[in-house]
């Protein structure tokens, strides 16, 4: 059995931590928040999942001491929101600990650098890494913590490591884990589907029908795949769990915070108002990167541009979505 440290003690850290503990591993969770650590150690629950009845396995404990957490295990699972990944990695670097295996469970693209999460880990820690992987795919923490059947993917260029990490997480009762070598495609799919999820929520809020939503998801995936190919990803990846699978779950479930944000935007809320209420809208960050990359690589991404104009140029959602219909007619696979 292995020891694994999870950076973060939020919803996703909780779901993955419980799965690892169910598999017999020892799990340390780190959070900068005393209240979250107390929830794990004393109440045996995850504060961010307070609405669900949880009794964490004994093998999970938590600390606010980053050195204690980082030195505890050879595997470090990153599960803090994307905007904290760089700063947390810089704190880990400052500890000057031995090289570890890092697995990112965080989805996102860093605004302006346009790096994926494992690329940030590598950028900050460089040689202090002895393995790098991403865990991604269609997965709501709310279901995983209730041990509802879920399938995810471990992406790593290192096939031996991918096998090892796959075995750490795979649970034959409820958590099936696949492997893939295309880490770029897997991470891009996981990050960019959040953009489409916000648009999907806007459509729901504006009472578009199922036909329109199916078209938007399909065309959204075509955009993601067009950009991903130019960034070095394998096109097939976008039609697997980390692309289409994650897109479906995020665009159709009220558990998705990106979808929920879209519904609020349709009702007139601004991004600033939604973020002030404490909600993380990772699609709102990913759209900035997608907008920059689309311009840099001269790739057509009308759905991305539509959301960008709504969120950052003050355009109204209803008008922007309508304008998608007046674009030039074209072949589907252009
Ligand atoms: N929730 C899900 O269902 C789910 C599923 C798949 C992937 N993810 C990914 O996991 C990541 C985390 O999501 P989540 O739902 O667990 O978020 P969350 O809001 O539930 O938890 C985030 C956690 O980050 C930590 N944190 C808070 N402030 C911090 C700071 N200043 N510095 C460092 N850490 C801080 C805390 O432990 C906090 O609980 C996201 O990138 C998301 O895309 C989430």
């Amino acid at each position: 059995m292995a020891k694994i440290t999870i950076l973060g003690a939020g919803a996703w850290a909780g779901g993955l931590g419980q799965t690892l503990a169910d598999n017999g591993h020892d799990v340390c969770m780190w959070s900068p928040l005393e209240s979250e650590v107390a929830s794990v150690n004393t109440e045996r629950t995850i504060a961010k999942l307070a609405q669900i009845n949880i009794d964490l396995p004994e093998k999970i404990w938590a600390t606010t001491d980053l050195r204690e957490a980082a030195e505890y295990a050879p595997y470090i699972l990153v599960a803090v929101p994307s905007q904290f990944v760089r700063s947390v990695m810089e704190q880990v670097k400052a500890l000057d600990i031995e090289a570890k295996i890092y697995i990112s469970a965080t989805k996102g693209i860093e605004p302006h650098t346009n790096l994926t999460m494992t690329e940030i880990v590598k950028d900050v820690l460089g040689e202090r890494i002895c393995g790098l992987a991403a865990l991604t795919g269609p997965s709501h923490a709310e279901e995983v913590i209730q041990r509802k059947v879920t399938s995810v993917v471990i992406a790593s260029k290192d096939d031996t490591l991918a096998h090892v990490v796959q075995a750490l997480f795979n649970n034959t009762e409820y958590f099936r884990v696949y492997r893939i070598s295309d880490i770029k495609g897997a991470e891009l799919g996981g990050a960019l589907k959040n953009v489409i999820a916000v648009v999907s929520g806007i459509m729901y809020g504006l009472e578009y029908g199922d036909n329109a939503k199916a078209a938007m998801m399909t065309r959204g995936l075509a955009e993601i795949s067009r950009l991903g190919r130019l960034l070095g990803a394998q096109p097939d990846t976008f039609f697997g769990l980390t692309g289409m699978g994650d897109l479906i779950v995020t665009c159709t479930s009220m558990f998705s915070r990106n979808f929920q944000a879209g519904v609020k935007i349709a009702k007139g809320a601004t991004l600033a108002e939604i973020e002030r209420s404490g909600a993380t809208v990772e699609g709102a960050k990913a759209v900035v990167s997608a907008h920059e990359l689309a311009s840099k690589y001269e790739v057509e991404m009308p759905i991305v541009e539509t959301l960008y104009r709504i969120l950052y140029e003050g355009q109204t959602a209803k008008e922007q979505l309508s304008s998608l219909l007046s674009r030039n007619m074209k072949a589907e696979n252009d």
Side-chain angles (χ1 to χ4, degrees):
M1 290 301 118
K3 284 182 174 177
I4 296 119
T5 286
I6 307 183
L7 301 181
W12 198 213
L16 291 175
Q18 179 177 265
T19 305
L20 288 165
D22 283 351
N23 291 350
H25 306 303
D26 294 300
V27 177
C28 165
M29 281 183 191
W30 169 83
S31 168
L33 308 174
E34 289 279 1
S35 56
E36 287 188 343
V37 166
S39 287
V40 172
N41 290 338
T42 313
E43 295 155 39
R44 309 306 299 159
T45 191
I46 297 293
K48 284 281 173 77
L49 295 172
Q51 73 280 18
I52 298 171
N53 191 16
I54 299 168
D55 182 18
L56 289 174
E58 280 177 14
K59 283 173 166 288
I60 301 177
W61 63 283
T63 177
T64 54
D65 183 335
L66 186 59
R67 176 176 293 283
E68 185 182 26
E71 286 181 345
Y72 175 73
Y75 299 96
I76 299 197
L77 178 67
V78 181
V80 295
S82 58
Q83 70 267 32
F84 301 130
V85 169
R86 182 172 290 276
S87 62
V88 170
M89 287 304 110
E90 278 165 356
Q91 290 173 57
V92 170
K93 184 180 179 187
L95 297 172
D96 200 20
I97 54 172
E98 62 186 19
K100 306 268 177 178
I101 292 166
Y102 290 82
I103 306 153
S104 167
T106 300
K107 296 170 181 172
I109 302 181
E110 191 174 42
H112 310 305
T113 67
N114 300 324
L115 295 177
T116 62
M117 296 300 114
T118 61
E119 288 168 350
I120 297 176
V121 174
K122 202 169 170 193
D123 188 43
V124 176
L125 292 174
E127 298 303 308
R128 295 160 200 242
I129 292 173
C130 59
L132 194 56
L135 182 155
T136 180
S139 44
H140 288 309
E142 290 82 352
E143 294 189 3
V144 174
I145 201 82
Q146 294 179 77
R147 301 185 174 89
K148 292 191 176 181
V149 170
T150 302
S151 274
V152 298
V153 174
I154 293 294
S156 179
K157 287 181 192 157
D158 177 343
D159 192 47
T160 308
L161 177 70
H163 276 83
V164 171
V165 178
Q166 178 182 32
L168 285 180
F169 284 93
N170 193 69
N171 180 295
T172 52
E173 284 173 26
Y174 69 93
F175 204 71
R176 180 157 177 80
V177 185
Y178 291 86
R179 297 183 305 276
I180 194 171
S181 60
D182 180 15
I183 189 164
K184 185 84 184 183
E187 286 195 285
L188 283 176
L192 294 175
K193 54 89 197 186
N194 285 332
V195 174
I196 312 302
V198 178
V199 181
S200 190
I202 294 175
M203 293 179 95
Y204 180 87
L206 292 176
E207 298 182 7
Y208 276 77
D210 293 342
N211 296 351
K213 281 181 267 176
M216 196 278 307
M217 284 165 60
T218 313
R219 297 307 301 164
L221 192 59
E223 285 184 25
I224 293 172
S225 146
R226 256 198 312 270
L227 176 66
R229 216 173 303 174
L230 291 172
L231 296 176
Q234 293 165 18
D236 284 2
T237 303
F238 298 103
F239 298 96
L241 287 169
T242 62
M244 187 190 292
D246 210 353
L247 185 80
I248 292 171
V249 79
T250 318
C251 291
T252 58
S253 167
M254 285 303 278
F255 283 136
S256 162
R257 280 172 281 192
N258 292 285
F259 182 90
Q260 287 169 9
V263 176
K264 288 180 186 154
I265 287 162
K267 303 290 178 205
T270 63
L271 179 60
E273 284 165 354
I274 295 168
E275 290 184 334
R276 264 201 301 278
S277 71
T280 312
V281 189
E282 291 189 324
K285 292 183 175 52
V287 78
V288 175
S289 295
H291 166 76
E292 286 181 6
L293 289 165
S295 158
K296 182 173 173 187
Y297 289 90
E298 296 181 353
V299 50
E300 208 185 345
M301 300 190 81
I303 298 173
V304 162
E305 296 306 337
T306 296
L307 184 63
Y308 186 84
R309 285 194 292 272
I310 295 169
L311 296 185
Y312 297 106
E313 294 179 351
Q315 303 292 320
T316 61
K318 199 169 181 177
E319 278 169 22
Q320 287 302 310
L321 284 177
S322 299
S323 73
L324 280 171
L325 290 172
S326 55
R327 297 169 58 246
N328 286 342
M329 289 186 281
K330 55 184 283 192
E332 187 184 16
N333 53 6
D334 269 358

